[in-house]
Each structure stands twice: as C-alpha cells, then as structure tokens.
Amino acid sequence: MTLPLLVVTAVAAEADAVRAGADPDHVVVEPVGVGPAAAAAGTARLLATGRYQAVISAGIAGGFPGRAPVGSTVIGLRSIAADLGAETPDGFLTVDELGFGTSVLPADPSLVRSLIEALPDAIPGDVVTLSTVTGTAATAERLAASYPQAVAEAMEGFGVAVAAGSLPFAELRTVSNPVGPRDRAAWRLKDAFAALSTASGALWKACG
C-alpha cells in the first residue's frame, strides 16, 4: 500500500487552502501550530501515530524583495533557524558558530527535484525560520545579507524538518507580503492562499 504524504501547516486557514487543491486520497493535511516549537511537537505527534512517505511544511510566507515577489511560490532547498544563536557586541552568532549544533537542515534532494518539476514557475531557495516575524527594514537587510540564498521567511519549517528526522522533508510556501516593515494592510493573503491551493494540486504528482 502506498503511504500518504503528510502536509503540516501552522494554522487552519493554511490547511484549508492546501486541502482545496490536494488529493484527499493521498495527502493528509493538518495544522500543528505557529512557531518552530509547536510545529516540531505537532509534527512529531502526527508521525508517532501514523505512517507517511514524506513530510512537507506548507503555508504562506514573507518573500525577500528582489528574490520572491508577492504572489509567488517558493520551494525551500534548506530550512534555516535564523534566530537560533546568541547576540554579541560584534553581532549575531549562529548556533553552528557557537558549536552547539546546526541551524541549517537541507530538504530531501529527490523530493525537491520532483517539486520543481511539478511546479516549474516556483522559486527555489532557502527559507529562514524565525520565532519573531521581521517588521523593520534593518532586520530585513541583515537577514538578506546573512542569508543570500534565502527567498522567504516563515515560522515553522525548521521545526518540521527536525521532527521529520530521516523521513524526506521539504518546505513549500506562497508569498503574501515582502519581508520588511510591517504593513498588514498591504498583505495579499487572499492571493497567497489561492496560490497555495494551486501549488498543492501538484503535491501528489511530485511525491506519488
């Protein structure tokens, strides 16, 4: 029997958008909570109570200007915990630089290739995971400089990747707003949810 694909989102609205486009016979979609800790715990619970062929962290995201415009779809090549580390007088040190582990988890290469083939208009690149969404130009510029391959920021990917362990993992996001000063009125949530539903239609094609 072919195992289903597990797709986890942060909130119910994202899960509904994925379900609207995904194959319900082969794709299980569940919201697991906001932030890397909730995402890791929720994903681990699902993996402990069911069998799946792969895990995808999906939802909406902020896109880095000049890299992933609003309305676009991105495929994460790596999920990076961009605020996991320590502040110092000389700047931020990642957990890698501190010698306490890694802040970078790569997506499964085969799964990424299949997603790129199924979604040829999607933008591949790194997705940074943050516990605090960027709301200033200064933070956006620092992140863009620190992670030159990053195309988007979200809040769950790294946590889902940790929980996935040896199971194939990837991150799929649609961009609702630019990374930078917080302007909720300018967010295009409806467009991002619609793009998420469209992209989700390709998930089983990529993984089945």
Side-chain angles (χ1 to χ4, degrees):
M1 184 180 76
T2 302
L3 295 177
L5 168 70
L6 176 62
V7 179
V8 294
T9 69
V11 298
E14 293 170 319
D16 289 342
V18 173
R19 291 190 188 108
D23 179 350
D25 294 327
H26 299 101
V27 180
V28 175
V29 187
E30 294 290 344
V32 292
V34 176
T43 302
R45 173 181 55 80
L46 291 167
L47 293 177
T49 55
R51 296 179 63 212
Y52 303 94
Q53 65 164 285
V55 182
I56 291 181
S57 176
I60 62 174
F64 282 94
R67 301 178 187 176
V70 173
S72 63
T73 298
V74 303
I75 296 170
L77 303 180
R78 302 186 301 172
S79 295
I80 301 174
D83 55 6
L84 183 60
E87 287 187 329
T88 77
D90 297 320
F92 178 76
L93 291 177
T94 67
V95 71
D96 313 67
E97 293 168 320
L98 293 169
F100 295 148
T102 182
S103 59
V104 181
L105 292 175
D108 180 78
S110 179
L111 183 53
V112 166
R113 283 194 300 270
S114 296
L115 287 170
I116 290 173
E117 290 174 2
L119 297 165
D121 294 329
I123 301 168
D126 295 338
V127 180
V128 295
T129 298
L130 299 169
S131 295
T132 302
V133 172
T134 298
T136 67
T139 299
E141 291 169 2
R142 177 181 62 79
L143 288 171
S146 298
Y147 304 101
Q149 304 305 314
V151 293
E153 72 165 29
M155 301 180 74
E156 293 79 33
F158 185 83
V160 177
V162 169
S166 60
L167 205 62
F169 161 82
E171 187 164 4
L172 176 71
R173 297 281 174 178
T174 54
V175 178
S176 61
N177 57 279
V179 175
R182 185 173 174 82
D183 181 7
R184 193 64 189 270
W187 289 13
R188 286 168 47 189
L189 294 175
K190 183 177 179 180
D191 292 344
F193 284 133
L196 187 58
S197 295
T198 298
S200 297
L203 288 176
W204 186 247
K205 176 182 177 183
C207 304

